[in-house]
Amino acid sequence: MKKKIMCLIMSVCMLTLCACSATGQTAGEDNSEEQSLTVFNYGQYFEPEMLELFTKETGIRINYEEAATPEELYTKYVSGGISYDLLCTSDYMIKRLIDEGEAKEVNYRGMEHFKNINPEFLKLSDSFDPGNKYALPYFWGTVGILYNTTKVNGPIDSWDVLFNGEYSGQIIMQDSMRDSFMVALKYLGYSLNTTDEKKIREAADLLKKQKPDVESYLVDEARDEVVAENAVMAVVYSGEGYLGHEYNPDLAYVIPKEGSNLWVDSWIMTKNCKNTEAALKFLDFLCREDVAKANFEFQYYSSPNKTVVDKMDETLKANNAINPSYDSLKDCEVFEALDEKTTALYSELWKEIKSE
Amino acid sequence: MKSKKVRVLAIPYAVWIVGFTLIPLMFVLAKAVTSPAGGFTFDNLLAIFDPVNRKSLILSLLLAFISTVMCILISYPVALILKSSKIKNKKILMFILILPMWMNFILRILAVQMLLSKNGIINHFLTMAGLSPINIINTPYAIVFGMVYDYLPYMMLPVLNCILAIPDDIIEASRDLGANRLTVLRRIIIPLSLSGIGSGITMVFVPSMTEFVIANILGGGKIQLLGNIIEQEFSVTMNQHLGSGLSVTLMIFVLLTTLLFGRHEDTNKGFVL
């Protein structure tokens, strides 16, 4: 009896394995018949209508996948469950993927609409993609404070308001390891890419001390909480800063004077991409004026696309979340990928902070 | 002949168990006892003694314990009231009790978040009534509230099933023999409903111990349960070995709870869900 059951279980195992490999093969064959691309992006970062438009124009089907944070995106990517053709992620994660040989070199200059990209951002991308061989800038922005102008005492222009206890219980921090450390490091006057253990520990101590004053650590909901006036201020990305003001006119966004994180999200083609021609079509499509504009108006991060910026109305152009002044950016830095030892230190300290 | 047919019917179950329980469990176990560099190690299992992890484990156990006790305290009186009530169709009442479970659990927790938030509905009514608002969102209290709200039906149903199944004759007989209400409760109803409480405890304590979504949403990212640490190890830190090690430790606790409270189930098979 027992033997029979074991036989049954074993045969089931074998059958499942066979079935798995069989479906894997047929899926591979299907690709050559119908053109499709698997695209991986952050959530809420693409106007869905534009995906439909692309399929309508080219006949290429898009499988669209989303992740919430760079770390989640990376984990899903390396787990290998799905083979992605194109992905969009942040500067330091792009660097990591390039370094690990996951990206494919692309001749962006050959694309029809590439000229729309402001060369300034190619220069900026140089820090994580030397020679601009892999990454195509998609959106950029800053990290700053979104605050309620009617509930603060005096002007907000420094990270200090998050640490001096004045707004205890009214502060929302980013529930993301590097963004939270960035705030503390910048406030202490250090580089956000420092690998000096002493400085990182100092930042962690500051964050631990700050924790009782923090109302919550959030990612996507941070803006909504300030809009709903459940908190007075939150650390947010610039696009959220702009939209916060749209939803509640009492809110304003500021890049603190100590400097902050300047980020660039870019597209790369992965080494697994088989249909490079289709992938290039998609990337070129993104640079096209109408598409770039639709995507910009979907979430209001700053666009590296000249045509979009040139045709903005004056209020948008003057908005410090969408077009920050050169002066406010002078102390801002782009994240670099941290070495393994520093990453481990960050994780350990972040866990400590969260369990305080 | 008959037994063969029955065995054929068991194939889907076997596929399920092998494909979705045994094989994944092997992966987790294999990762738990190896280091990222490869090679055998006990470090991932011993990591539970690390102060940060230990603290989260204790907090997880504590919150799960409080939630379970609250669930019992709420379910038991309800069951007793239903038992003695004259309502004919008790099935309808039970149906109403499980009605919230028809809605997605994340949505329910988001709704609780709305209710409890600083300018939320509860505080709105409190201030309207001239009372001081409560500030429990982003604290462990909110997490307990969420867990009780979510898992109450899992306690309510087995307890109710068990108590409703106690024959009225027994209670009447004890009354005739001079037992007062308290004695009936203490000597008859509670002992006969232990199996229901036992399965209720297993069904509430186990999921609340491994919880991380409720802790994230209602705790505002400030409270770290062991479930949150495991999730972080997989999604942020990308140390799957440590995450697996901690999961295995947590599984040991789950196993202990099941062994401790689950054994009552055998004595009263028909009434467990």
Side-chain angles (χ1 to χ4, degrees), chain B residues 47-58:
Chain B
I48 197 69
F49 296 111
D50 179 76
V52 171
N53 297 335
R54 195 178 53 206
K55 199 171 158 189
S56 300
L57 175 69
I58 292 170

Side-chain angles (χ1 to χ4, degrees), chain B residues 5 23 25 36 39 43 59 63-64 71 75 82 94 112 115 117 123 125 145 147 151 166 182 234 249 263:
Chain B
K5 265 187 196 160
I23 294 178
L25 201 62
D43 287 356
L59 190 64
L63 293 190
C71 281
S75 316
L82 276 179
M94 280 172 67
V112 171
L115 283 174
S117 76
N123 279 345
F125 281 117
F145 186 101
M147 289 202 219
Y151 299 132
I166 298 173
L182 195 70
F234 278 97
T249 332
R263 65 201 155 105

Side-chain angles (χ1 to χ4, degrees), chain A residues 104-214:
Chain A
K104 198 179 247 180
E105 234 177 272
V106 181
N107 177 21
Y108 292 111
R109 283 170 183 79
M111 296 190 320
E112 189 189 343
H113 299 288
F114 183 73
K115 57 179 190 303
N116 291 346
I117 301 291
N118 187 339
E120 280 297 314
F121 294 98
L122 295 176
K123 244 188 267 167
L124 209 59
S125 310
D126 223 41
S127 68
F128 54 89
D129 170 24
N132 300 123
K133 285 184 204 149
Y134 302 97
L136 176 72
Y138 181 50
F139 281 108
W140 68 282
T142 52
V143 176
I145 304 173
L146 175 70
Y147 63 100
N148 192 324
T149 50
T150 60
K151 290 190 178 163
V152 291
N153 328 316
I156 303 292
D157 63 351
S158 158
W159 293 120
D160 184 52
V161 289
L162 301 177
F163 297 103
N164 64 13
E166 198 180 341
Y167 298 100
S168 178
Q170 306 283 356
I171 298 165
I172 297 175
M173 292 291 283
Q174 279 285 318
D175 194 8
S176 143
M177 193 167 77
R178 278 208 85 171
D179 288 324
S180 283
F181 271 94
M182 177 282 285
V183 171
L185 286 169
K186 274 294 180 188
Y187 174 58
L188 292 167
Y190 302 142
S191 160
L192 48 79
N193 291 317
T194 182
T195 52
D196 184 340
E197 186 175 334
K198 223 180 98 222
K199 289 177 180 169
I200 296 172
R201 283 192 185 275
E202 200 181 329
D205 287 340
L206 190 65
L207 290 171
K208 271 183 214 166
K209 216 178 93 218
Q210 181 211 20
K211 194 177 174 190
D213 292 344
V214 176

Side-chain angles (χ1 to χ4, degrees), chain A residues 11 19 86 143-145 163 165 167 181 227 251 258 285 333 344-345:
Chain A
S11 49
L86 291 165
V143 176
I145 304 173
F163 297 103
Y167 298 100
F181 271 94
V227 169
L251 307 188
E258 294 93 349
F285 177 77
E333 291 171 87
L345 179 67

Side-chain angles (χ1 to χ4, degrees), chain A residues 37-57:
Chain A
L37 286 172
T38 306
V39 175
F40 200 14
N41 197 357
Y42 294 134
Q44 291 288 313
Y45 216 35
F46 207 104
E47 167 66 72
E49 279 175 28
M50 291 300 117
L51 290 176
E52 284 168 31
L53 183 68
F54 180 72
T55 309
K56 220 163 93 189
E57 285 181 6

Side-chain angles (χ1 to χ4, degrees), chain B residues 15 25 38 44 54 56 87 121 126 140 153 203-204 210 220 237 245 249:
Chain B
V15 172
L25 201 62
N44 299 320
R54 195 178 53 206
S56 300
I87 303 169
I121 297 162
L126 284 177
M203 283 200 281
V204 174
T210 51
T237 325
T249 332

Side-chain angles (χ1 to χ4, degrees), chain A residues 140-147 223-224 226-227 234-255 263 295-303 312-324:
Chain A
W140 68 282
T142 52
V143 176
I145 304 173
L146 175 70
Y147 63 100
R223 176 196 77 206
D224 297 332
V226 186
V227 169
V235 177
V236 297
Y237 293 98
S238 48
E240 304 284 345
Y242 172 77
L243 285 174
H245 174 74
E246 284 293 289
Y247 294 140
N248 182 344
D250 288 340
L251 307 188
Y253 175 81
V254 64
I255 303 169
W263 51 266
N295 277 331
F296 165 72
E297 283 168 358
F298 186 63
Q299 30 79 9
Y300 289 101
Y301 284 108
S302 316
S303 176
M312 259 179 218
D313 64 51
E314 290 306 314
T315 41
L316 280 182
K317 252 187 201 169
N319 188 289
N320 73 336
I322 292 174
N323 284 309

